[in-house]
Coordinates of all heavy atoms in Angstrom, one line a residue:
H111 N 44.6 -36.5 59.5 CA 44.6 -35.6 58.3 C 43.2 -34.9 58.1 O 43.1 -33.7 57.8 CB 45.0 -36.4 57.1 CG 45.0 -35.6 55.8 ND1 46.1 -34.7 55.5 CD2 44.2 -35.5 54.8 CE1 45.8 -34.1 54.4 NE2 44.7 -34.6 53.9
H115 N 41.7 -31.1 58.0 CA 40.8 -30.4 57.1 C 39.5 -29.8 57.7 O 39.1 -28.7 57.5 CB 40.3 -31.4 56.0 CG 41.3 -31.6 54.9 ND1 41.7 -30.6 54.1 CD2 41.8 -32.8 54.4 CE1 42.5 -31.1 53.2 NE2 42.6 -32.4 53.3
S136 N 37.5 -34.5 49.8 CA 38.9 -34.4 49.3 C 39.2 -35.4 48.2 O 38.3 -36.0 47.7 CB 39.9 -34.6 50.5 OG 39.8 -35.9 50.9
D300 N 45.6 -29.7 50.8 CA 46.6 -30.1 51.8 C 47.5 -29.0 52.2 O 48.1 -28.4 51.3 CB 47.3 -31.4 51.4 CG 46.4 -32.6 51.3 OD1 45.2 -32.5 51.8 OD2 46.8 -33.6 50.8
M304 N 46.7 -26.4 58.7 CA 45.6 -27.1 59.4 C 46.2 -28.1 60.3 O 45.5 -28.4 61.4 CB 44.7 -27.7 58.3 CG 45.3 -28.8 57.5 SD 44.2 -29.4 56.2 CE 45.0 -31.0 55.8
Ligands
ZN2 ZN1 43.7 -33.7 52.3

Side-chain angles (χ1 to χ4, degrees):
H111 181 79
H115 275 305
S136 72
D300 292 349
M304 66 184 196

